[in-house]
Amino acid sequence: MYKMEIRKHPKFHNVFISGPQERLKLYTKNLDVGKRISGEKLITYKGIEYREWDPFRSKLAALILANPITSFLSENLKCLYLGASSGTTISHLSDIINSGIIYGVEFAERSMRQLIQNISNRTNIIPILGDARFPDKYAKYVFTYVDLIYQDVAQPRQAEIALENCNYYLKDEGILILLIKSQSIDSIQKSELTYAKEKEIIEKAGYKILESIKIYKYAANHIVLIVKKVIN
Ligand SMILES: C[S@@+](CC[C@H](N)C(=O)[O-])C[C@H]1O[C@@H](n2cnc3c(N)ncnc32)[C@H](O)[C@@H]1O
C-alpha cells in the first residue's frame, strides 16, 4: 500500500512535497493551525499540520511545480504582494516566509473583507486596501524596501504597474514575480505578441528577465516572469 510521506522541497525553502516527481503535491506548514483558507486539505504528518497547496488555485504553486531555476523564497523575506484577493496564495506565502513580512495590497473591498477574516491570526501579513496602479498612495503603510514583489492583478497595464511598484519599493537586486494574463491586456491580439510587448517594457526599463515560464496547464493564458532589479 502507498504510504504518504511529506518531505522538504529540494530547492524552495519551507515548501514541502509528497508523491513521485510526475505527480508531485505541494504543501506548506500551517502557521494558523486548524484553519483552512479556501477548502484545502489539512494533513498532519509527524505531528505537524500541513496545508495542501493547489496549483489550480494558486499560480505561485503552479510556478514552483514548473521548477524555475531561480530560488526566490526564504524565511525572512520582506514582500509586497499586489492582488492579494481573499488570501489563497498570500496565506501560503505567509506559511513560507514565517519570520518575514508581507504587505498585501487589494483594491476590491469585498475581497479585502474576506482577506482580513482569513488572515486574522497571521501576524506576518499587513493587509492594505489600495490600488496597485498608484503605489505612492500606500507608502505610509509599507515601512521598508522589499526583497520580493509578487504581482497578480488582472489589469491592462501589467508591466507598467509592476515597474512603478518596483521603482518605489523593490531593493536593488530584488526580485519581481510578475504574472501576466494576456487576456486582460488584449483579448484580440495573439498572446505571444502580448507577452513580447510586456517583456520589452520590462527590459527597456533596465530590469533583467531571468526566466519566462508558461503555466498554461494550471492557468490558461498566463505566463510568469521572474525579473531582477539590477543596479546600473
Ligand atoms: C487573479 S486575482 C488574485 C488571486 C491571488 N493572487 C491568489 O492567488 O490568491 C486578482 C486580484 O487582483 C485584484 N486587483 C485587480 N486590479 C487591482 C489593482 N489595480 N490594485 C489592487 N488589486 C487589484 C482583484 O480585485 C483580484 O482580487
Side-chain angles (χ1 to χ4, degrees):
M1 205 178 103
Y2 169 64
K3 191 166 170 293
M4 197 182 79
E5 189 188 28
I6 293 185
R7 57 196 193 274
K8 284 183 178 174
H9 191 286
K11 186 190 303 162
F12 287 99
H13 184 73
N14 269 346
V15 177
F16 297 85
I17 53 178
S18 76
Q21 199 55 39
E22 59 293 352
R23 277 182 291 118
L24 218 53
K25 285 192 170 165
L26 296 182
Y27 307 87
T28 57
K29 262 188 214 171
N30 197 356
L31 260 192
D32 188 4
V33 172
K35 174 123 181 158
R36 289 185 175 84
I37 304 286
S38 49
E40 70 275 23
K41 260 193 209 160
L42 300 181
I43 294 162
T44 301
Y45 179 75
K46 294 190 174 171
I48 295 172
E49 187 176 276
Y50 294 88
R51 302 164 60 217
E52 197 171 323
W53 195 6
D54 182 351
F56 289 99
R57 285 173 178 255
S58 170
K59 287 157 229 154
L60 182 55
L63 173 63
I64 288 175
L65 284 179
N67 211 8
I69 298 162
T70 317
S71 171
F72 51 84
L73 296 175
S74 70
E75 186 149 293
N76 53 4
L77 279 186
K78 296 186 179 76
C79 173
L80 176 64
Y81 190 115
L82 305 169
S85 194
S86 55
T88 304
T89 299
I90 200 173
S91 64
H92 285 286
L93 200 55
S94 147
D95 289 341
I96 294 167
I97 303 180
N98 52 25
S99 55
I101 190 95
I102 312 170
Y103 301 94
V105 177
E106 170 57 53
F107 78 167
E109 288 186 15
R110 194 176 160 170
S111 300
M112 180 51 72
R113 274 197 293 277
Q114 289 171 340
L115 176 68
I116 289 169
Q117 281 175 10
N118 283 336
I119 57 135
S120 57
N121 292 329
R122 292 176 179 268
T123 53
N124 64 359
I125 302 180
I126 299 183
I128 299 171
L129 182 64
D131 188 329
R133 291 171 296 183
F134 307 106
D136 54 313
K137 294 272 168 60
Y138 37 87
K140 57 179 180 280
Y141 308 111
V142 182
F143 307 114
T144 176
Y145 286 104
V146 299
D147 309 289
L148 180 74
I149 294 185
Y150 182 90
Q151 180 178 304
D152 182 15
V153 296
Q155 285 283 337
R157 295 170 55 253
Q158 290 167 34
E160 286 97 334
I161 294 171
L163 287 171
E164 283 155 19
N165 280 276
C166 288
N167 291 340
Y168 222 95
Y169 296 109
L170 190 61
K171 282 180 188 165
D172 288 337
E173 304 285 320
I175 295 286
L176 161 71
I177 307 288
L178 175 59
L179 283 296
I180 302 184
K181 183 181 183 185
S182 57
Q183 295 299 300
S184 304
I185 297 170
D186 190 327
S187 56
I188 298 162
Q189 182 170 258
K190 279 209 161 129
S191 294
E192 290 304 326
L193 192 57
T194 305
Y195 300 142
K197 285 185 179 166
E198 295 297 285
K199 287 180 192 175
E200 198 184 334
I201 294 170
I202 302 275
E203 283 172 337
K204 272 197 175 149
Y207 285 69
K208 185 167 184 207
I209 298 174
L210 303 177
E211 293 180 69
S212 167
I213 296 175
K214 288 184 176 140
I215 51 164
Y216 295 173
K217 182 174 168 194
Y218 300 108
N221 301 308
H222 280 80
I223 63 163
V224 187
L225 299 184
I226 304 180
V227 178
K228 190 167 190 171
K229 183 175 186 176
V230 280
I231 315 165
N232 294 312

mmCIF file of all heavy atoms in Angstrom, residues 57-60 81-91 105-109 111 128 130-134 138 150-155 161 179 181 222, ligand 1:
data_model
loop_
_atom_site.group_PDB
_atom_site.id
_atom_site.type_symbol
_atom_site.label_atom_id
_atom_site.label_comp_id
_atom_site.label_asym_id
_atom_site.label_seq_id
_atom_site.Cartn_x
_atom_site.Cartn_y
_atom_site.Cartn_z
ATOM 1 N N ARG A 57 -5.413 26.631 -8.014
ATOM 2 C CA ARG A 57 -5.934 27.800 -7.291
ATOM 3 C C ARG A 57 -4.861 28.844 -7.028
ATOM 4 O O ARG A 57 -5.180 29.967 -6.656
ATOM 5 C CB ARG A 57 -6.492 27.360 -5.931
ATOM 6 C CG ARG A 57 -7.808 26.668 -6.034
ATOM 7 C CD ARG A 57 -8.190 26.129 -4.661
ATOM 8 N NE ARG A 57 -9.469 25.491 -4.734
ATOM 9 C CZ ARG A 57 -10.583 26.011 -4.265
ATOM 10 N NH1 ARG A 57 -10.559 27.192 -3.691
ATOM 11 N NH2 ARG A 57 -11.719 25.372 -4.370
ATOM 12 N N SER A 58 -3.607 28.437 -7.155
ATOM 13 C CA SER A 58 -2.523 29.349 -6.816
ATOM 14 C C SER A 58 -1.437 29.283 -7.895
ATOM 15 O O SER A 58 -0.800 28.243 -8.092
ATOM 16 C CB SER A 58 -1.927 28.956 -5.463
ATOM 17 O OG SER A 58 -0.748 29.689 -5.251
ATOM 18 N N LYS A 59 -1.230 30.421 -8.563
ATOM 19 C CA LYS A 59 -0.240 30.437 -9.656
ATOM 20 C C LYS A 59 1.180 30.356 -9.113
ATOM 21 O O LYS A 59 2.090 29.953 -9.823
ATOM 22 C CB LYS A 59 -0.451 31.688 -10.514
ATOM 23 C CG LYS A 59 -1.702 31.595 -11.369
ATOM 24 C CD LYS A 59 -2.227 32.947 -11.783
ATOM 25 C CE LYS A 59 -3.709 33.046 -11.503
ATOM 26 N NZ LYS A 59 -4.134 34.444 -11.301
ATOM 27 N N LEU A 60 1.362 30.714 -7.848
ATOM 28 C CA LEU A 60 2.701 30.546 -7.263
ATOM 29 C C LEU A 60 3.017 29.049 -7.111
ATOM 30 O O LEU A 60 4.148 28.617 -7.364
ATOM 31 C CB LEU A 60 2.782 31.267 -5.908
ATOM 32 C CG LEU A 60 4.123 31.225 -5.189
ATOM 33 C CD1 LEU A 60 5.265 31.747 -6.065
ATOM 34 C CD2 LEU A 60 4.062 32.018 -3.878
ATOM 35 N N TYR A 81 2.887 42.160 -1.997
ATOM 36 C CA TYR A 81 2.033 41.270 -2.783
ATOM 37 C C TYR A 81 0.887 42.102 -3.365
ATOM 38 O O TYR A 81 0.074 42.656 -2.619
ATOM 39 C CB TYR A 81 1.495 40.169 -1.864
ATOM 40 C CG TYR A 81 0.784 39.049 -2.573
ATOM 41 C CD1 TYR A 81 1.301 37.762 -2.568
ATOM 42 C CD2 TYR A 81 -0.419 39.258 -3.232
ATOM 43 C CE1 TYR A 81 0.641 36.719 -3.210
ATOM 44 C CE2 TYR A 81 -1.077 38.223 -3.881
ATOM 45 C CZ TYR A 81 -0.542 36.968 -3.860
ATOM 46 O OH TYR A 81 -1.192 35.934 -4.492
ATOM 47 N N LEU A 82 0.829 42.192 -4.693
ATOM 48 C CA LEU A 82 -0.189 43.027 -5.344
ATOM 49 C C LEU A 82 -1.282 42.131 -5.929
ATOM 50 O O LEU A 82 -0.999 41.276 -6.779
ATOM 51 C CB LEU A 82 0.464 43.860 -6.449
ATOM 52 C CG LEU A 82 1.651 44.727 -5.976
ATOM 53 C CD1 LEU A 82 2.421 45.304 -7.167
ATOM 54 C CD2 LEU A 82 1.173 45.839 -5.048
ATOM 55 N N GLY A 83 -2.496 42.320 -5.465
ATOM 56 C CA GLY A 83 -3.618 41.484 -5.899
ATOM 57 C C GLY A 83 -3.815 40.329 -4.936
ATOM 58 O O GLY A 83 -3.848 39.164 -5.314
ATOM 59 N N ALA A 84 -3.969 40.679 -3.653
ATOM 60 C CA ALA A 84 -3.998 39.653 -2.590
ATOM 61 C C ALA A 84 -5.285 38.838 -2.604
ATOM 62 O O ALA A 84 -5.326 37.728 -2.081
ATOM 63 C CB ALA A 84 -3.818 40.324 -1.230
ATOM 64 N N SER A 85 -6.340 39.408 -3.190
ATOM 65 C CA SER A 85 -7.653 38.767 -3.239
ATOM 66 C C SER A 85 -8.075 38.317 -1.829
ATOM 67 O O SER A 85 -7.793 38.997 -0.854
ATOM 68 C CB SER A 85 -7.613 37.611 -4.246
ATOM 69 O OG SER A 85 -8.916 37.201 -4.542
ATOM 70 N N SER A 86 -8.720 37.151 -1.718
ATOM 71 C CA SER A 86 -9.217 36.752 -0.389
ATOM 72 C C SER A 86 -8.181 35.946 0.390
ATOM 73 O O SER A 86 -8.465 35.495 1.500
ATOM 74 C CB SER A 86 -10.517 35.970 -0.534
ATOM 75 O OG SER A 86 -10.303 34.894 -1.403
ATOM 76 N N GLY A 87 -7.010 35.716 -0.207
ATOM 77 C CA GLY A 87 -5.929 35.192 0.625
ATOM 78 C C GLY A 87 -5.376 33.820 0.297
ATOM 79 O O GLY A 87 -4.523 33.314 1.037
ATOM 80 N N THR A 88 -5.787 33.201 -0.808
ATOM 81 C CA THR A 88 -5.314 31.833 -1.081
ATOM 82 C C THR A 88 -3.785 31.774 -1.140
ATOM 83 O O THR A 88 -3.143 31.118 -0.321
ATOM 84 C CB THR A 88 -5.911 31.319 -2.420
ATOM 85 O OG1 THR A 88 -7.316 31.414 -2.325
ATOM 86 C CG2 THR A 88 -5.499 29.887 -2.691
ATOM 87 N N THR A 89 -3.211 32.495 -2.084
ATOM 88 C CA THR A 89 -1.755 32.383 -2.272
ATOM 89 C C THR A 89 -0.979 33.105 -1.179
ATOM 90 O O THR A 89 0.030 32.590 -0.667
ATOM 91 C CB THR A 89 -1.354 32.920 -3.664
ATOM 92 O OG1 THR A 89 -2.008 32.124 -4.644
ATOM 93 C CG2 THR A 89 0.148 32.852 -3.879
ATOM 94 N N ILE A 90 -1.455 34.276 -0.794
ATOM 95 C CA ILE A 90 -0.697 35.052 0.201
ATOM 96 C C ILE A 90 -0.611 34.267 1.518
ATOM 97 O O ILE A 90 0.380 34.377 2.250
ATOM 98 C CB ILE A 90 -1.311 36.462 0.392
ATOM 99 C CG1 ILE A 90 -0.287 37.412 1.005
ATOM 100 C CG2 ILE A 90 -2.545 36.455 1.241
ATOM 101 C CD1 ILE A 90 -0.747 38.868 1.067
ATOM 102 N N SER A 91 -1.606 33.446 1.815
ATOM 103 C CA SER A 91 -1.551 32.676 3.070
ATOM 104 C C SER A 91 -0.480 31.585 2.985
ATOM 105 O O SER A 91 0.194 31.293 3.969
ATOM 106 C CB SER A 91 -2.916 32.078 3.408
ATOM 107 O OG SER A 91 -3.298 31.150 2.412
ATOM 108 N N VAL A 105 -1.662 44.034 -0.958
ATOM 109 C CA VAL A 105 -2.494 45.119 -1.497
ATOM 110 C C VAL A 105 -3.643 44.519 -2.309
ATOM 111 O O VAL A 105 -3.430 43.632 -3.145
ATOM 112 C CB VAL A 105 -1.643 46.059 -2.395
ATOM 113 C CG1 VAL A 105 -2.503 47.154 -3.012
ATOM 114 C CG2 VAL A 105 -0.490 46.671 -1.599
ATOM 115 N N GLU A 106 -4.833 45.009 -2.048
ATOM 116 C CA GLU A 106 -6.014 44.552 -2.788
ATOM 117 C C GLU A 106 -6.979 45.729 -2.895
ATOM 118 O O GLU A 106 -7.148 46.469 -1.937
ATOM 119 C CB GLU A 106 -6.642 43.375 -2.026
ATOM 120 C CG GLU A 106 -7.990 42.922 -2.521
ATOM 121 C CD GLU A 106 -8.028 42.516 -3.996
ATOM 122 O OE1 GLU A 106 -7.227 41.680 -4.428
ATOM 123 O OE2 GLU A 106 -8.880 43.086 -4.723
ATOM 124 N N PHE A 107 -7.584 45.928 -4.087
ATOM 125 C CA PHE A 107 -8.461 47.098 -4.205
ATOM 126 C C PHE A 107 -9.954 46.791 -4.104
ATOM 127 O O PHE A 107 -10.755 47.714 -3.982
ATOM 128 C CB PHE A 107 -8.122 47.953 -5.416
ATOM 129 C CG PHE A 107 -8.596 47.493 -6.777
ATOM 130 C CD1 PHE A 107 -8.546 48.381 -7.857
ATOM 131 C CD2 PHE A 107 -9.083 46.224 -7.005
ATOM 132 C CE1 PHE A 107 -8.957 48.010 -9.118
ATOM 133 C CE2 PHE A 107 -9.491 45.824 -8.257
ATOM 134 C CZ PHE A 107 -9.429 46.714 -9.312
ATOM 135 N N ALA A 108 -10.341 45.508 -4.164
ATOM 136 C CA ALA A 108 -11.772 45.179 -4.066
ATOM 137 C C ALA A 108 -12.157 45.045 -2.586
ATOM 138 O O ALA A 108 -11.600 44.198 -1.877
ATOM 139 C CB ALA A 108 -12.056 43.893 -4.828
ATOM 140 N N GLU A 109 -13.103 45.857 -2.173
ATOM 141 C CA GLU A 109 -13.441 45.882 -0.735
ATOM 142 C C GLU A 109 -13.947 44.530 -0.250
ATOM 143 O O GLU A 109 -13.647 44.092 0.856
ATOM 144 C CB GLU A 109 -14.480 46.970 -0.461
ATOM 145 C CG GLU A 109 -13.862 48.351 -0.577
ATOM 146 C CD GLU A 109 -14.801 49.461 -0.170
ATOM 147 O OE1 GLU A 109 -15.835 49.199 0.465
ATOM 148 O OE2 GLU A 109 -14.480 50.614 -0.515
ATOM 149 N N SER A 111 -13.223 41.486 -1.394
ATOM 150 C CA SER A 111 -12.093 40.558 -1.229
ATOM 151 C C SER A 111 -11.293 40.922 0.016
ATOM 152 O O SER A 111 -10.834 40.042 0.756
ATOM 153 C CB SER A 111 -11.161 40.607 -2.443
ATOM 154 O OG SER A 111 -11.857 40.249 -3.595
ATOM 155 N N ILE A 128 -3.596 45.765 2.975
ATOM 156 C CA ILE A 128 -3.716 47.181 2.603
ATOM 157 C C ILE A 128 -4.800 47.309 1.540
ATOM 158 O O ILE A 128 -4.694 46.700 0.466
ATOM 159 C CB ILE A 128 -2.374 47.718 2.037
ATOM 160 C CG1 ILE A 128 -1.258 47.615 3.095
ATOM 161 C CG2 ILE A 128 -2.522 49.148 1.542
ATOM 162 C CD1 ILE A 128 0.133 47.919 2.558
ATOM 163 N N GLY A 130 -5.844 49.100 -1.230
ATOM 164 C CA GLY A 130 -5.181 50.097 -2.079
ATOM 165 C C GLY A 130 -5.193 49.644 -3.525
ATOM 166 O O GLY A 130 -5.504 48.480 -3.838
ATOM 167 N N ASP A 131 -4.837 50.567 -4.394
ATOM 168 C CA ASP A 131 -4.839 50.303 -5.827
ATOM 169 C C ASP A 131 -3.392 50.231 -6.316
ATOM 170 O O ASP A 131 -2.651 51.225 -6.216
ATOM 171 C CB ASP A 131 -5.603 51.446 -6.525
ATOM 172 C CG ASP A 131 -5.832 51.158 -7.999
ATOM 173 O OD1 ASP A 131 -4.999 50.471 -8.618
ATOM 174 O OD2 ASP A 131 -6.851 51.634 -8.536
ATOM 175 N N ALA A 132 -3.022 49.073 -6.846
ATOM 176 C CA ALA A 132 -1.632 48.853 -7.275
ATOM 177 C C ALA A 132 -1.182 49.836 -8.348
ATOM 178 O O ALA A 132 0.014 50.016 -8.565
ATOM 179 C CB ALA A 132 -1.471 47.418 -7.777
ATOM 180 N N ARG A 133 -2.124 50.488 -9.015
ATOM 181 C CA ARG A 133 -1.747 51.458 -10.053
ATOM 182 C C ARG A 133 -1.205 52.753 -9.462
ATOM 183 O O ARG A 133 -0.622 53.560 -10.173
ATOM 184 C CB ARG A 133 -2.977 51.782 -10.934
ATOM 185 C CG ARG A 133 -3.400 50.604 -11.804
ATOM 186 C CD ARG A 133 -4.714 50.873 -12.469
ATOM 187 N NE ARG A 133 -5.786 51.011 -11.478
ATOM 188 C CZ ARG A 133 -7.064 51.188 -11.774
ATOM 189 N NH1 ARG A 133 -7.449 51.265 -13.027
ATOM 190 N NH2 ARG A 133 -7.972 51.290 -10.820
ATOM 191 N N PHE A 134 -1.392 52.916 -8.153
ATOM 192 C CA PHE A 134 -0.942 54.164 -7.507
ATOM 193 C C PHE A 134 -0.079 53.839 -6.287
ATOM 194 O O PHE A 134 -0.524 53.986 -5.139
ATOM 195 C CB PHE A 134 -2.160 55.012 -7.106
ATOM 196 C CG PHE A 134 -3.104 55.253 -8.251
ATOM 197 C CD1 PHE A 134 -4.319 54.591 -8.325
ATOM 198 C CD2 PHE A 134 -2.750 56.118 -9.281
ATOM 199 C CE1 PHE A 134 -5.171 54.788 -9.406
ATOM 200 C CE2 PHE A 134 -3.600 56.328 -10.365
ATOM 201 C CZ PHE A 134 -4.812 55.654 -10.423
ATOM 202 N N TYR A 138 0.020 54.005 -1.009
ATOM 203 C CA TYR A 138 0.106 53.130 0.183
ATOM 204 C C TYR A 138 1.483 53.172 0.840
ATOM 205 O O TYR A 138 1.799 52.352 1.693
ATOM 206 C CB TYR A 138 -0.342 51.678 -0.095
ATOM 207 C CG TYR A 138 0.020 51.104 -1.438
ATOM 208 C CD1 TYR A 138 1.246 50.484 -1.645
ATOM 209 C CD2 TYR A 138 -0.876 51.162 -2.489
ATOM 210 C CE1 TYR A 138 1.564 49.951 -2.887
ATOM 211 C CE2 TYR A 138 -0.570 50.630 -3.730
ATOM 212 C CZ TYR A 138 0.651 50.030 -3.917
ATOM 213 O OH TYR A 138 0.959 49.497 -5.141
ATOM 214 N N TYR A 150 5.447 40.395 -5.667
ATOM 215 C CA TYR A 150 4.649 39.380 -6.371
ATOM 216 C C TYR A 150 3.411 40.098 -6.888
ATOM 217 O O TYR A 150 2.671 40.698 -6.109
ATOM 218 C CB TYR A 150 4.254 38.265 -5.395
ATOM 219 C CG TYR A 150 3.465 37.146 -6.016
ATOM 220 C CD1 TYR A 150 4.106 36.026 -6.556
ATOM 221 C CD2 TYR A 150 2.078 37.185 -6.058
ATOM 222 C CE1 TYR A 150 3.372 34.987 -7.127
ATOM 223 C CE2 TYR A 150 1.348 36.148 -6.628
ATOM 224 C CZ TYR A 150 2.007 35.055 -7.156
ATOM 225 O OH TYR A 150 1.287 34.025 -7.716
ATOM 226 N N GLN A 151 3.214 40.074 -8.198
ATOM 227 C CA GLN A 151 2.055 40.784 -8.753
ATOM 228 C C GLN A 151 1.140 39.862 -9.542
ATOM 229 O O GLN A 151 1.577 39.196 -10.484
ATOM 230 C CB GLN A 151 2.520 41.935 -9.661
ATOM 231 C CG GLN A 151 1.318 42.694 -10.268
ATOM 232 C CD GLN A 151 1.722 43.859 -11.135
ATOM 233 O OE1 GLN A 151 2.445 44.755 -10.701
ATOM 234 N NE2 GLN A 151 1.264 43.862 -12.381
ATOM 235 N N ASP A 152 -0.109 39.838 -9.160
ATOM 236 C CA ASP A 152 -1.127 39.047 -9.853
ATOM 237 C C ASP A 152 -2.400 39.883 -9.937
ATOM 238 O O ASP A 152 -3.344 39.665 -9.179
ATOM 239 C CB ASP A 152 -1.365 37.741 -9.065
ATOM 240 C CG ASP A 152 -2.378 36.834 -9.737
ATOM 241 O OD1 ASP A 152 -2.691 37.036 -10.914
ATOM 242 O OD2 ASP A 152 -2.856 35.897 -9.057
ATOM 243 N N VAL A 153 -2.390 40.891 -10.805
ATOM 244 C CA VAL A 153 -3.576 41.728 -10.966
ATOM 245 C C VAL A 153 -4.043 41.663 -12.414
ATOM 246 O O VAL A 153 -3.243 41.779 -13.331
ATOM 247 C CB VAL A 153 -3.329 43.208 -10.554
ATOM 248 C CG1 VAL A 153 -3.014 43.337 -9.087
ATOM 249 C CG2 VAL A 153 -2.233 43.861 -11.374
ATOM 250 N N ALA A 154 -5.345 41.446 -12.584
ATOM 251 C CA ALA A 154 -5.891 41.378 -13.938
ATOM 252 C C ALA A 154 -6.146 42.808 -14.406
ATOM 253 O O ALA A 154 -7.225 43.352 -14.201
ATOM 254 C CB ALA A 154 -7.176 40.560 -13.914
ATOM 255 N N GLN A 155 -5.123 43.417 -14.982
ATOM 256 C CA GLN A 155 -5.191 44.820 -15.399
ATOM 257 C C GLN A 155 -4.585 44.953 -16.788
ATOM 258 O O GLN A 155 -3.742 44.143 -17.174
ATOM 259 C CB GLN A 155 -4.366 45.698 -14.433
ATOM 260 C CG GLN A 155 -5.016 45.937 -13.091
ATOM 261 C CD GLN A 155 -6.124 46.982 -13.172
ATOM 262 O OE1 GLN A 155 -6.155 47.809 -14.075
ATOM 263 N NE2 GLN A 155 -7.043 46.920 -12.232
ATOM 264 N N ILE A 161 2.547 48.683 -14.242
ATOM 265 C CA ILE A 161 2.169 48.702 -12.811
ATOM 266 C C ILE A 161 3.282 48.062 -11.979
ATOM 267 O O ILE A 161 3.689 48.576 -10.938
ATOM 268 C CB ILE A 161 0.820 47.970 -12.586
ATOM 269 C CG1 ILE A 161 -0.318 48.736 -13.257
ATOM 270 C CG2 ILE A 161 0.535 47.779 -11.093
ATOM 271 C CD1 ILE A 161 -1.650 47.994 -13.279
ATOM 272 N N LEU A 179 2.991 37.888 -12.813
ATOM 273 C CA LEU A 179 2.053 37.035 -13.527
ATOM 274 C C LEU A 179 1.452 37.864 -14.644
ATOM 275 O O LEU A 179 0.917 38.945 -14.383
ATOM 276 C CB LEU A 179 0.903 36.612 -12.602
ATOM 277 C CG LEU A 179 1.119 35.519 -11.558
ATOM 278 C CD1 LEU A 179 1.432 34.216 -12.199
ATOM 279 C CD2 LEU A 179 2.126 35.881 -10.525
ATOM 280 N N LYS A 181 -1.345 37.983 -17.526
ATOM 281 C CA LYS A 181 -2.531 37.352 -18.114
ATOM 282 C C LYS A 181 -2.824 38.093 -19.407
ATOM 283 O O LYS A 181 -3.268 39.251 -19.382
ATOM 284 C CB LYS A 181 -3.703 37.469 -17.134
ATOM 285 C CG LYS A 181 -4.949 36.790 -17.595
ATOM 286 C CD LYS A 181 -6.065 36.956 -16.595
ATOM 287 C CE LYS A 181 -7.293 36.197 -17.066
ATOM 288 N NZ LYS A 181 -8.434 36.430 -16.190
ATOM 289 N N HIS A 222 -1.662 32.430 -19.098
ATOM 290 C CA HIS A 222 -0.782 33.067 -18.115
ATOM 291 C C HIS A 222 0.667 32.642 -18.327
ATOM 292 O O HIS A 222 0.938 31.453 -18.505
ATOM 293 C CB HIS A 222 -1.134 32.650 -16.683
ATOM 294 C CG HIS A 222 -2.288 33.382 -16.104
ATOM 295 N ND1 HIS A 222 -3.590 33.050 -16.396
ATOM 296 C CD2 HIS A 222 -2.349 34.417 -15.238
ATOM 297 C CE1 HIS A 222 -4.392 33.863 -15.729
ATOM 298 N NE2 HIS A 222 -3.674 34.704 -15.020
HETATM 299 C C1 LIG B 1 -6.392 36.763 -10.034
HETATM 300 S S1 LIG B 1 -6.866 37.579 -8.567
HETATM 301 C C2 LIG B 1 -5.526 37.281 -7.477
HETATM 302 C C3 LIG B 1 -5.512 35.902 -6.866
HETATM 303 C C4 LIG B 1 -4.493 35.829 -5.757
HETATM 304 N N1 LIG B 1 -3.203 36.325 -6.202
HETATM 305 C C5 LIG B 1 -4.309 34.409 -5.258
HETATM 306 O O1 LIG B 1 -3.614 33.650 -5.939
HETATM 307 O O2 LIG B 1 -4.812 34.081 -4.201
HETATM 308 C C6 LIG B 1 -6.561 39.237 -8.969
HETATM 309 C C7 LIG B 1 -6.858 40.188 -7.836
HETATM 310 O O3 LIG B 1 -6.285 41.446 -8.142
HETATM 311 C C8 LIG B 1 -7.153 42.438 -7.685
HETATM 312 N N2 LIG B 1 -6.823 43.660 -8.430
HETATM 313 C C9 LIG B 1 -7.045 43.939 -9.739
HETATM 314 N N3 LIG B 1 -6.586 45.150 -10.041
HETATM 315 C C10 LIG B 1 -6.039 45.659 -8.914
HETATM 316 C C11 LIG B 1 -5.386 46.874 -8.593
HETATM 317 N N4 LIG B 1 -5.216 47.815 -9.524
HETATM 318 N N5 LIG B 1 -4.948 47.060 -7.341
HETATM 319 C C12 LIG B 1 -5.117 46.110 -6.391
HETATM 320 N N6 LIG B 1 -5.743 44.932 -6.629
HETATM 321 C C13 LIG B 1 -6.194 44.709 -7.874
HETATM 322 C C14 LIG B 1 -8.546 41.883 -7.954
HETATM 323 O O4 LIG B 1 -9.524 42.523 -7.182
HETATM 324 C C15 LIG B 1 -8.352 40.419 -7.607
HETATM 325 O O5 LIG B 1 -8.671 40.171 -6.258
#
